[in-house]
mmCIF file of all heavy atoms in Angstrom:
data_model
loop_
_atom_site.group_PDB
_atom_site.id
_atom_site.type_symbol
_atom_site.label_atom_id
_atom_site.label_comp_id
_atom_site.label_asym_id
_atom_site.label_seq_id
_atom_site.Cartn_x
_atom_site.Cartn_y
_atom_site.Cartn_z
ATOM 1 N N SER X 25 -37.563 36.265 -148.524
ATOM 2 C CA SER X 25 -38.807 36.926 -148.926
ATOM 3 C C SER X 25 -38.532 38.370 -149.326
ATOM 4 O O SER X 25 -37.413 38.870 -149.183
ATOM 5 C CB SER X 25 -39.817 36.896 -147.771
ATOM 6 O OG SER X 25 -39.506 37.889 -146.806
ATOM 7 N N GLY X 26 -39.590 39.020 -149.781
ATOM 8 C CA GLY X 26 -39.471 40.425 -150.162
ATOM 9 C C GLY X 26 -39.187 41.353 -149.006
ATOM 10 O O GLY X 26 -38.917 42.544 -149.218
ATOM 11 N N LEU X 27 -39.217 40.830 -147.773
ATOM 12 C CA LEU X 27 -38.821 41.630 -146.611
ATOM 13 C C LEU X 27 -37.311 41.621 -146.407
ATOM 14 O O LEU X 27 -36.787 42.443 -145.653
ATOM 15 C CB LEU X 27 -39.508 41.091 -145.345
ATOM 16 C CG LEU X 27 -41.037 41.185 -145.298
ATOM 17 C CD1 LEU X 27 -41.566 40.554 -144.016
ATOM 18 C CD2 LEU X 27 -41.498 42.625 -145.402
ATOM 19 N N ASP X 28 -36.616 40.666 -147.056
ATOM 20 C CA ASP X 28 -35.163 40.584 -146.935
ATOM 21 C C ASP X 28 -34.494 41.503 -147.943
ATOM 22 O O ASP X 28 -34.952 41.647 -149.081
ATOM 23 C CB ASP X 28 -34.697 39.137 -147.150
ATOM 24 C CG ASP X 28 -35.238 38.204 -146.076
ATOM 25 O OD1 ASP X 28 -35.113 38.552 -144.892
ATOM 26 O OD2 ASP X 28 -35.788 37.138 -146.430
ATOM 27 N N GLU X 29 -33.381 42.089 -147.515
ATOM 28 C CA GLU X 29 -32.724 43.106 -148.332
ATOM 29 C C GLU X 29 -32.252 42.551 -149.674
ATOM 30 O O GLU X 29 -32.326 43.236 -150.692
ATOM 31 C CB GLU X 29 -31.548 43.705 -147.568
ATOM 32 C CG GLU X 29 -30.753 44.752 -148.340
ATOM 33 C CD GLU X 29 -31.614 45.927 -148.810
ATOM 34 O OE1 GLU X 29 -32.615 46.232 -148.145
ATOM 35 O OE2 GLU X 29 -31.280 46.513 -149.851
ATOM 36 N N ASP X 30 -31.761 41.299 -149.703
ATOM 37 C CA ASP X 30 -31.235 40.765 -150.963
ATOM 38 C C ASP X 30 -32.350 40.582 -151.995
ATOM 39 O O ASP X 30 -32.175 40.905 -153.177
ATOM 40 C CB ASP X 30 -30.482 39.450 -150.733
ATOM 41 C CG ASP X 30 -31.282 38.420 -149.942
ATOM 42 O OD1 ASP X 30 -32.407 38.736 -149.517
ATOM 43 O OD2 ASP X 30 -30.763 37.301 -149.740
ATOM 44 N N VAL X 31 -33.513 40.107 -151.559
ATOM 45 C CA VAL X 31 -34.645 39.952 -152.479
ATOM 46 C C VAL X 31 -35.167 41.325 -152.891
ATOM 47 O O VAL X 31 -35.463 41.569 -154.070
ATOM 48 C CB VAL X 31 -35.768 39.123 -151.828
ATOM 49 C CG1 VAL X 31 -37.013 39.127 -152.707
ATOM 50 C CG2 VAL X 31 -35.301 37.697 -151.588
ATOM 51 N N ARG X 32 -35.298 42.217 -151.917
ATOM 52 C CA ARG X 32 -35.780 43.566 -152.225
ATOM 53 C C ARG X 32 -34.894 44.236 -153.269
ATOM 54 O O ARG X 32 -35.380 44.833 -154.239
ATOM 55 C CB ARG X 32 -35.823 44.408 -150.951
ATOM 56 C CG ARG X 32 -36.529 45.754 -151.128
ATOM 57 C CD ARG X 32 -36.082 46.756 -150.100
ATOM 58 N NE ARG X 32 -34.694 47.142 -150.322
ATOM 59 C CZ ARG X 32 -34.309 48.010 -151.229
ATOM 60 N NH1 ARG X 32 -35.185 48.613 -152.005
ATOM 61 N NH2 ARG X 32 -33.028 48.303 -151.368
ATOM 62 N N ALA X 33 -33.571 44.124 -153.088
ATOM 63 C CA ALA X 33 -32.637 44.743 -154.032
ATOM 64 C C ALA X 33 -32.761 44.114 -155.413
ATOM 65 O O ALA X 33 -32.750 44.826 -156.433
ATOM 66 C CB ALA X 33 -31.211 44.601 -153.512
ATOM 67 N N PHE X 34 -32.907 42.790 -155.462
ATOM 68 C CA PHE X 34 -33.047 42.104 -156.751
ATOM 69 C C PHE X 34 -34.278 42.597 -157.493
ATOM 70 O O PHE X 34 -34.237 42.863 -158.700
ATOM 71 C CB PHE X 34 -33.145 40.594 -156.522
ATOM 72 C CG PHE X 34 -33.393 39.806 -157.779
ATOM 73 C CD1 PHE X 34 -32.332 39.376 -158.570
ATOM 74 C CD2 PHE X 34 -34.686 39.490 -158.182
ATOM 75 C CE1 PHE X 34 -32.563 38.654 -159.746
ATOM 76 C CE2 PHE X 34 -34.930 38.779 -159.351
ATOM 77 C CZ PHE X 34 -33.862 38.361 -160.135
ATOM 78 N N VAL X 35 -35.395 42.711 -156.789
ATOM 79 C CA VAL X 35 -36.644 43.125 -157.428
ATOM 80 C C VAL X 35 -36.577 44.583 -157.856
ATOM 81 O O VAL X 35 -36.938 44.932 -158.988
ATOM 82 C CB VAL X 35 -37.844 42.913 -156.483
ATOM 83 C CG1 VAL X 35 -39.118 43.506 -157.082
ATOM 84 C CG2 VAL X 35 -38.030 41.424 -156.195
ATOM 85 N N MET X 36 -36.092 45.433 -156.983
ATOM 86 C CA MET X 36 -36.192 46.875 -157.212
ATOM 87 C C MET X 36 -35.147 47.427 -158.164
ATOM 88 O O MET X 36 -35.335 48.512 -158.721
ATOM 89 C CB MET X 36 -36.107 47.620 -155.869
ATOM 90 C CG MET X 36 -37.150 47.216 -154.845
ATOM 91 S SD MET X 36 -38.861 47.381 -155.424
ATOM 92 C CE MET X 36 -38.981 49.150 -155.675
ATOM 93 N N GLU X 37 -34.046 46.715 -158.376
ATOM 94 C CA GLU X 37 -32.968 47.286 -159.180
ATOM 95 C C GLU X 37 -33.187 47.146 -160.684
ATOM 96 O O GLU X 37 -32.523 47.824 -161.476
ATOM 97 C CB GLU X 37 -31.638 46.615 -158.817
ATOM 98 C CG GLU X 37 -31.535 45.168 -159.257
ATOM 99 C CD GLU X 37 -30.256 44.497 -158.782
ATOM 100 O OE1 GLU X 37 -29.508 45.122 -158.025
ATOM 101 O OE2 GLU X 37 -30.011 43.345 -159.180
ATOM 102 N N HIS X 38 -34.111 46.291 -161.113
ATOM 103 C CA HIS X 38 -34.330 46.083 -162.545
ATOM 104 C C HIS X 38 -34.994 47.315 -163.170
ATOM 105 O O HIS X 38 -35.887 47.919 -162.575
ATOM 106 C CB HIS X 38 -35.206 44.849 -162.779
ATOM 107 C CG HIS X 38 -34.468 43.559 -162.596
ATOM 108 N ND1 HIS X 38 -34.268 42.991 -161.357
ATOM 109 C CD2 HIS X 38 -33.867 42.743 -163.495
ATOM 110 C CE1 HIS X 38 -33.595 41.870 -161.495
ATOM 111 N NE2 HIS X 38 -33.334 41.695 -162.785
ATOM 112 N N PRO X 39 -34.581 47.679 -164.372
ATOM 113 C CA PRO X 39 -35.160 48.858 -165.043
ATOM 114 C C PRO X 39 -36.682 48.788 -165.170
ATOM 115 O O PRO X 39 -37.361 49.804 -165.036
ATOM 116 C CB PRO X 39 -34.479 48.847 -166.418
ATOM 117 C CG PRO X 39 -33.181 48.150 -166.178
ATOM 118 C CD PRO X 39 -33.457 47.103 -165.145
ATOM 119 N N VAL X 40 -37.207 47.581 -165.417
ATOM 120 C CA VAL X 40 -38.653 47.473 -165.570
ATOM 121 C C VAL X 40 -39.361 47.794 -164.248
ATOM 122 O O VAL X 40 -40.454 48.386 -164.249
ATOM 123 C CB VAL X 40 -39.056 46.058 -166.074
ATOM 124 C CG1 VAL X 40 -38.717 44.986 -165.040
ATOM 125 C CG2 VAL X 40 -40.528 46.016 -166.449
ATOM 126 N N THR X 41 -38.737 47.460 -163.122
ATOM 127 C CA THR X 41 -39.329 47.783 -161.825
ATOM 128 C C THR X 41 -39.263 49.279 -161.567
ATOM 129 O O THR X 41 -40.223 49.866 -161.047
ATOM 130 C CB THR X 41 -38.603 47.033 -160.693
ATOM 131 O OG1 THR X 41 -38.534 45.647 -161.008
ATOM 132 C CG2 THR X 41 -39.326 47.215 -159.367
ATOM 133 N N VAL X 42 -38.142 49.885 -161.918
ATOM 134 C CA VAL X 42 -37.992 51.335 -161.736
ATOM 135 C C VAL X 42 -39.063 52.075 -162.528
ATOM 136 O O VAL X 42 -39.718 52.999 -162.018
ATOM 137 C CB VAL X 42 -36.579 51.786 -162.162
ATOM 138 C CG1 VAL X 42 -36.477 53.317 -162.106
ATOM 139 C CG2 VAL X 42 -35.514 51.152 -161.275
ATOM 140 N N GLU X 43 -39.276 51.674 -163.786
ATOM 141 C CA GLU X 43 -40.290 52.329 -164.609
ATOM 142 C C GLU X 43 -41.681 52.089 -164.043
ATOM 143 O O GLU X 43 -42.520 53.002 -164.001
ATOM 144 C CB GLU X 43 -40.216 51.818 -166.045
ATOM 145 C CG GLU X 43 -41.228 52.505 -166.958
ATOM 146 C CD GLU X 43 -41.085 52.095 -168.406
ATOM 147 O OE1 GLU X 43 -40.151 51.338 -168.736
ATOM 148 O OE2 GLU X 43 -41.935 52.544 -169.217
ATOM 149 N N PHE X 44 -41.931 50.844 -163.597
ATOM 150 C CA PHE X 44 -43.226 50.526 -163.017
ATOM 151 C C PHE X 44 -43.511 51.389 -161.798
ATOM 152 O O PHE X 44 -44.610 51.933 -161.648
ATOM 153 C CB PHE X 44 -43.277 49.044 -162.629
ATOM 154 C CG PHE X 44 -44.456 48.679 -161.772
ATOM 155 C CD1 PHE X 44 -45.724 48.547 -162.321
ATOM 156 C CD2 PHE X 44 -44.307 48.487 -160.401
ATOM 157 C CE1 PHE X 44 -46.818 48.211 -161.532
ATOM 158 C CE2 PHE X 44 -45.391 48.154 -159.605
ATOM 159 C CZ PHE X 44 -46.651 48.016 -160.163
ATOM 160 N N MET X 45 -42.533 51.526 -160.904
ATOM 161 C CA MET X 45 -42.732 52.313 -159.689
ATOM 162 C C MET X 45 -42.958 53.781 -160.018
ATOM 163 O O MET X 45 -43.785 54.450 -159.380
ATOM 164 C CB MET X 45 -41.543 52.153 -158.750
ATOM 165 C CG MET X 45 -41.462 50.795 -158.056
ATOM 166 S SD MET X 45 -42.926 50.385 -157.068
ATOM 167 C CE MET X 45 -42.932 51.737 -155.876
ATOM 168 N N ASN X 46 -42.253 54.311 -160.994
ATOM 169 C CA ASN X 46 -42.458 55.708 -161.384
ATOM 170 C C ASN X 46 -43.874 55.927 -161.914
ATOM 171 O O ASN X 46 -44.543 56.917 -161.562
ATOM 172 C CB ASN X 46 -41.440 56.117 -162.449
ATOM 173 C CG ASN X 46 -40.050 56.284 -161.873
ATOM 174 O OD1 ASN X 46 -39.889 56.545 -160.670
ATOM 175 N ND2 ASN X 46 -39.025 56.135 -162.699
ATOM 176 N N ARG X 47 -44.338 55.007 -162.740
ATOM 177 C CA ARG X 47 -45.709 55.117 -163.269
ATOM 178 C C ARG X 47 -46.736 54.931 -162.151
ATOM 179 O O ARG X 47 -47.784 55.596 -162.131
ATOM 180 C CB ARG X 47 -45.926 54.085 -164.376
ATOM 181 C CG ARG X 47 -45.131 54.382 -165.648
ATOM 182 C CD ARG X 47 -45.239 53.232 -166.646
ATOM 183 N NE ARG X 47 -44.464 53.505 -167.834
ATOM 184 C CZ ARG X 47 -44.952 53.895 -169.006
ATOM 185 N NH1 ARG X 47 -46.263 54.108 -169.117
ATOM 186 N NH2 ARG X 47 -44.181 54.099 -170.048
ATOM 187 N N MET X 48 -46.435 54.012 -161.235
ATOM 188 C CA MET X 48 -47.350 53.776 -160.121
ATOM 189 C C MET X 48 -47.459 55.015 -159.237
ATOM 190 O O MET X 48 -48.555 55.386 -158.799
ATOM 191 C CB MET X 48 -46.847 52.578 -159.307
ATOM 192 C CG MET X 48 -47.612 52.302 -158.011
ATOM 193 S SD MET X 48 -49.384 52.102 -158.251
ATOM 194 C CE MET X 48 -49.372 50.860 -159.542
ATOM 195 N N LYS X 49 -46.351 55.659 -158.949
ATOM 196 C CA LYS X 49 -46.373 56.868 -158.131
ATOM 197 C C LYS X 49 -47.206 57.962 -158.795
ATOM 198 O O LYS X 49 -47.994 58.643 -158.128
ATOM 199 C CB LYS X 49 -44.945 57.363 -157.881
ATOM 200 C CG LYS X 49 -44.133 56.446 -156.978
ATOM 201 C CD LYS X 49 -42.684 56.894 -156.899
ATOM 202 C CE LYS X 49 -41.849 55.934 -156.052
ATOM 203 N NZ LYS X 49 -40.421 56.331 -156.023
ATOM 204 N N ASP X 50 -47.039 58.124 -160.104
ATOM 205 C CA ASP X 50 -47.836 59.118 -160.823
ATOM 206 C C ASP X 50 -49.330 58.801 -160.718
ATOM 207 O O ASP X 50 -50.160 59.700 -160.519
ATOM 208 C CB ASP X 50 -47.426 59.159 -162.301
ATOM 209 C CG ASP X 50 -46.072 59.809 -162.518
ATOM 210 O OD1 ASP X 50 -45.610 60.530 -161.601
ATOM 211 O OD2 ASP X 50 -45.469 59.594 -163.588
ATOM 212 N N MET X 51 -49.669 57.511 -160.859
ATOM 213 C CA MET X 51 -51.077 57.127 -160.786
ATOM 214 C C MET X 51 -51.645 57.389 -159.399
ATOM 215 O O MET X 51 -52.752 57.929 -159.257
ATOM 216 C CB MET X 51 -51.240 55.651 -161.145
ATOM 217 C CG MET X 51 -52.705 55.208 -161.195
ATOM 218 S SD MET X 51 -52.936 53.473 -161.608
ATOM 219 C CE MET X 51 -52.508 52.729 -160.032
ATOM 220 N N LEU X 52 -50.901 57.032 -158.343
ATOM 221 C CA LEU X 52 -51.378 57.243 -156.983
ATOM 222 C C LEU X 52 -51.483 58.726 -156.657
ATOM 223 O O LEU X 52 -52.418 59.155 -155.978
ATOM 224 C CB LEU X 52 -50.443 56.548 -155.985
ATOM 225 C CG LEU X 52 -50.454 55.012 -156.031
ATOM 226 C CD1 LEU X 52 -49.413 54.445 -155.073
ATOM 227 C CD2 LEU X 52 -51.840 54.469 -155.687
ATOM 228 N N ASN X 53 -50.537 59.522 -157.154
ATOM 229 C CA ASN X 53 -50.595 60.967 -156.928
ATOM 230 C C ASN X 53 -51.844 61.580 -157.564
ATOM 231 O O ASN X 53 -52.380 62.581 -157.074
ATOM 232 C CB ASN X 53 -49.350 61.642 -157.503
ATOM 233 C CG ASN X 53 -48.101 61.313 -156.711
ATOM 234 O OD1 ASN X 53 -48.174 60.925 -155.549
ATOM 235 N ND2 ASN X 53 -46.941 61.445 -157.340
ATOM 236 N N PHE X 54 -52.294 60.968 -158.653
ATOM 237 C CA PHE X 54 -53.530 61.432 -159.305
ATOM 238 C C PHE X 54 -54.769 60.885 -158.600
ATOM 239 O O PHE X 54 -55.734 61.622 -158.347
ATOM 240 C CB PHE X 54 -53.524 61.002 -160.772
ATOM 241 C CG PHE X 54 -54.844 61.214 -161.466
ATOM 242 C CD1 PHE X 54 -55.247 62.482 -161.865
ATOM 243 C CD2 PHE X 54 -55.698 60.144 -161.688
ATOM 244 C CE1 PHE X 54 -56.469 62.683 -162.488
ATOM 245 C CE2 PHE X 54 -56.926 60.335 -162.313
ATOM 246 C CZ PHE X 54 -57.312 61.607 -162.717
ATOM 247 N N LEU X 55 -54.755 59.580 -158.279
ATOM 248 C CA LEU X 55 -55.957 58.924 -157.770
ATOM 249 C C LEU X 55 -56.331 59.342 -156.354
ATOM 250 O O LEU X 55 -57.504 59.618 -156.072
ATOM 251 C CB LEU X 55 -55.779 57.397 -157.806
ATOM 252 C CG LEU X 55 -55.830 56.718 -159.169
ATOM 253 C CD1 LEU X 55 -55.590 55.223 -159.005
ATOM 254 C CD2 LEU X 55 -57.175 56.958 -159.831
ATOM 255 N N LEU X 56 -55.356 59.359 -155.443
ATOM 256 C CA LEU X 56 -55.690 59.533 -154.031
ATOM 257 C C LEU X 56 -56.406 60.845 -153.735
ATOM 258 O O LEU X 56 -57.425 60.845 -153.023
ATOM 259 C CB LEU X 56 -54.440 59.367 -153.164
ATOM 260 C CG LEU X 56 -54.257 57.944 -152.607
ATOM 261 C CD1 LEU X 56 -54.101 56.929 -153.730
ATOM 262 C CD2 LEU X 56 -53.062 57.868 -151.672
ATOM 263 N N PRO X 57 -55.930 61.992 -154.240
ATOM 264 C CA PRO X 57 -56.676 63.229 -153.982
ATOM 265 C C PRO X 57 -58.087 63.197 -154.564
ATOM 266 O O PRO X 57 -59.019 63.747 -153.970
ATOM 267 C CB PRO X 57 -55.821 64.306 -154.664
ATOM 268 C CG PRO X 57 -54.456 63.723 -154.731
ATOM 269 C CD PRO X 57 -54.667 62.259 -154.953
ATOM 270 N N ASN X 58 -58.259 62.529 -155.719
ATOM 271 C CA ASN X 58 -59.586 62.461 -156.327
ATOM 272 C C ASN X 58 -60.508 61.516 -155.574
ATOM 273 O O ASN X 58 -61.702 61.792 -155.418
ATOM 274 C CB ASN X 58 -59.467 62.039 -157.798
ATOM 275 C CG ASN X 58 -59.009 63.178 -158.684
ATOM 276 O OD1 ASN X 58 -59.770 64.075 -159.008
ATOM 277 N ND2 ASN X 58 -57.733 63.156 -159.059
ATOM 278 N N TYR X 59 -59.963 60.385 -155.103
ATOM 279 C CA TYR X 59 -60.755 59.501 -154.243
ATOM 280 C C TYR X 59 -61.207 60.251 -152.992
ATOM 281 O O TYR X 59 -62.348 60.155 -152.560
ATOM 282 C CB TYR X 59 -59.930 58.280 -153.827
ATOM 283 C CG TYR X 59 -59.854 57.185 -154.859
ATOM 284 C CD1 TYR X 59 -58.661 56.501 -155.077
ATOM 285 C CD2 TYR X 59 -60.964 56.794 -155.596
ATOM 286 C CE1 TYR X 59 -58.580 55.469 -156.004
ATOM 287 C CE2 TYR X 59 -60.903 55.778 -156.529
ATOM 288 C CZ TYR X 59 -59.697 55.118 -156.723
ATOM 289 O OH TYR X 59 -59.627 54.102 -157.636
ATOM 290 N N ARG X 60 -60.262 60.967 -152.411
ATOM 291 C CA ARG X 60 -60.557 61.715 -151.176
ATOM 292 C C ARG X 60 -61.632 62.770 -151.426
ATOM 293 O O ARG X 60 -62.539 62.968 -150.616
ATOM 294 C CB ARG X 60 -59.261 62.358 -150.660
ATOM 295 C CG ARG X 60 -59.438 63.206 -149.420
ATOM 296 C CD ARG X 60 -59.828 62.329 -148.223
ATOM 297 N NE ARG X 60 -60.116 63.152 -147.064
ATOM 298 C CZ ARG X 60 -61.275 63.752 -146.857
ATOM 299 N NH1 ARG X 60 -62.251 63.635 -147.735
ATOM 300 N NH2 ARG X 60 -61.460 64.470 -145.782
ATOM 301 N N GLU X 61 -61.546 63.439 -152.564
ATOM 302 C CA GLU X 61 -62.506 64.488 -152.906
ATOM 303 C C GLU X 61 -63.918 63.921 -153.041
ATOM 304 O O GLU X 61 -64.903 64.595 -152.729
ATOM 305 C CB GLU X 61 -62.088 65.156 -154.225
ATOM 306 C CG GLU X 61 -62.930 66.354 -154.625
ATOM 307 C CD GLU X 61 -62.742 67.537 -153.691
ATOM 308 O OE1 GLU X 61 -61.688 67.614 -153.023
ATOM 309 O OE2 GLU X 61 -63.656 68.380 -153.639
ATOM 310 N N GLU X 62 -64.008 62.676 -153.486
ATOM 311 C CA GLU X 62 -65.312 62.039 -153.667
ATOM 312 C C GLU X 62 -65.824 61.379 -152.392
ATOM 313 O O GLU X 62 -66.856 60.713 -152.402
ATOM 314 C CB GLU X 62 -65.228 60.994 -154.786
ATOM 315 C CG GLU X 62 -65.157 61.589 -156.173
ATOM 316 C CD GLU X 62 -66.376 62.436 -156.485
ATOM 317 O OE1 GLU X 62 -67.501 61.957 -156.278
ATOM 318 O OE2 GLU X 62 -66.206 63.587 -156.924
ATOM 319 N N GLY X 63 -65.101 61.553 -151.277
ATOM 320 C CA GLY X 63 -65.581 61.047 -149.997
ATOM 321 C C GLY X 63 -65.098 59.664 -149.626
ATOM 322 O O GLY X 63 -65.563 59.082 -148.644
ATOM 323 N N LYS X 64 -64.145 59.105 -150.375
ATOM 324 C CA LYS X 64 -63.600 57.789 -150.030
ATOM 325 C C LYS X 64 -62.525 57.977 -148.966
ATOM 326 O O LYS X 64 -61.602 58.770 -149.138
ATOM 327 C CB LYS X 64 -63.007 57.116 -151.268
ATOM 328 C CG LYS X 64 -62.637 55.653 -151.060
ATOM 329 C CD LYS X 64 -62.222 55.019 -152.376
ATOM 330 C CE LYS X 64 -61.930 53.540 -152.219
ATOM 331 N NZ LYS X 64 -63.118 52.762 -151.833
ATOM 332 N N HIS X 65 -62.646 57.238 -147.862
ATOM 333 C CA HIS X 65 -61.728 57.428 -146.751
ATOM 334 C C HIS X 65 -60.796 56.247 -146.526
ATOM 335 O O HIS X 65 -59.907 56.320 -145.688
ATOM 336 C CB HIS X 65 -62.516 57.684 -145.463
ATOM 337 C CG HIS X 65 -63.470 58.827 -145.572
ATOM 338 N ND1 HIS X 65 -63.066 60.089 -145.971
ATOM 339 C CD2 HIS X 65 -64.809 58.907 -145.381
ATOM 340 C CE1 HIS X 65 -64.117 60.894 -145.990
ATOM 341 N NE2 HIS X 65 -65.181 60.204 -145.642
ATOM 342 N N ARG X 66 -61.023 55.151 -147.264
ATOM 343 C CA ARG X 66 -60.153 53.985 -147.120
ATOM 344 C C ARG X 66 -59.944 53.361 -148.484
ATOM 345 O O ARG X 66 -60.899 53.158 -149.232
ATOM 346 C CB ARG X 66 -60.765 52.957 -146.163
ATOM 347 C CG ARG X 66 -59.900 51.738 -145.940
ATOM 348 C CD ARG X 66 -60.524 50.826 -144.891
ATOM 349 N NE ARG X 66 -61.799 50.294 -145.336
ATOM 350 C CZ ARG X 66 -61.947 49.181 -146.054
ATOM 351 N NH1 ARG X 66 -60.884 48.496 -146.394
ATOM 352 N NH2 ARG X 66 -63.139 48.756 -146.416
ATOM 353 N N LEU X 67 -58.691 53.073 -148.812
ATOM 354 C CA LEU X 67 -58.353 52.478 -150.099
ATOM 355 C C LEU X 67 -57.470 51.259 -149.849
ATOM 356 O O LEU X 67 -56.459 51.357 -149.160
ATOM 357 C CB LEU X 67 -57.621 53.487 -150.989
ATOM 358 C CG LEU X 67 -57.213 52.981 -152.373
ATOM 359 C CD1 LEU X 67 -58.449 52.836 -153.267
ATOM 360 C CD2 LEU X 67 -56.203 53.927 -153.021
ATOM 361 N N VAL X 68 -57.870 50.119 -150.410
ATOM 362 C CA VAL X 68 -57.078 48.894 -150.281
ATOM 363 C C VAL X 68 -56.420 48.601 -151.620
ATOM 364 O O VAL X 68 -57.099 48.374 -152.626
ATOM 365 C CB VAL X 68 -57.952 47.699 -149.845
ATOM 366 C CG1 VAL X 68 -57.091 46.437 -149.727
ATOM 367 C CG2 VAL X 68 -58.632 47.990 -148.515
ATOM 368 N N ILE X 69 -55.089 48.630 -151.635
ATOM 369 C CA ILE X 69 -54.313 48.322 -152.833
ATOM 370 C C ILE X 69 -53.719 46.932 -152.658
ATOM 371 O O ILE X 69 -52.913 46.699 -151.749
ATOM 372 C CB ILE X 69 -53.180 49.352 -153.051
ATOM 373 C CG1 ILE X 69 -53.743 50.769 -153.138
ATOM 374 C CG2 ILE X 69 -52.381 49.013 -154.299
ATOM 375 C CD1 ILE X 69 -52.676 51.846 -153.185
ATOM 376 N N ALA X 70 -54.122 45.993 -153.500
ATOM 377 C CA ALA X 70 -53.608 44.625 -153.424
ATOM 378 C C ALA X 70 -52.545 44.429 -154.498
ATOM 379 O O ALA X 70 -52.765 44.749 -155.672
ATOM 380 C CB ALA X 70 -54.745 43.623 -153.607
ATOM 381 N N VAL X 71 -51.390 43.916 -154.093
ATOM 382 C CA VAL X 71 -50.267 43.698 -155.000
ATOM 383 C C VAL X 71 -50.008 42.198 -155.059
ATOM 384 O O VAL X 71 -49.707 41.580 -154.033
ATOM 385 C CB VAL X 71 -49.010 44.433 -154.525
ATOM 386 C CG1 VAL X 71 -47.885 44.278 -155.542
ATOM 387 C CG2 VAL X 71 -49.308 45.909 -154.257
#
């Protein structure tokens, strides 16, 4: 499963995953402070 190191490494090492994670981090860095500012105290991210 994705909890095992071999699967995790397979998924995370691909260039498309690296780009996806970088874009995702940028989006979360933008969204979370704005959600918080609007009074949202819990956010559920489903993957």
Side-chain angles (χ1 to χ4, degrees):
S25 78
L27 296 177
D28 296 311
E29 178 58 29
D30 52 357
V31 172
R32 190 203 68 79
F34 176 88
V35 173
M36 303 304 296
E37 69 185 6
H38 284 83
V40 65
T41 309
V42 174
E43 182 175 356
F44 168 76
M45 287 302 300
N46 287 335
R47 291 172 181 257
M48 173 55 52
K49 291 173 183 177
D50 287 342
M51 185 180 77
L52 292 176
N53 290 339
F54 170 76
L55 287 178
L56 265 61
N58 283 284
Y59 279 140
R60 178 67 185 82
E61 186 68 23
E62 286 300 310
K64 190 173 184 64
H65 305 305
R66 181 175 64 87
L67 180 72
V68 180
I69 303 173
V71 184

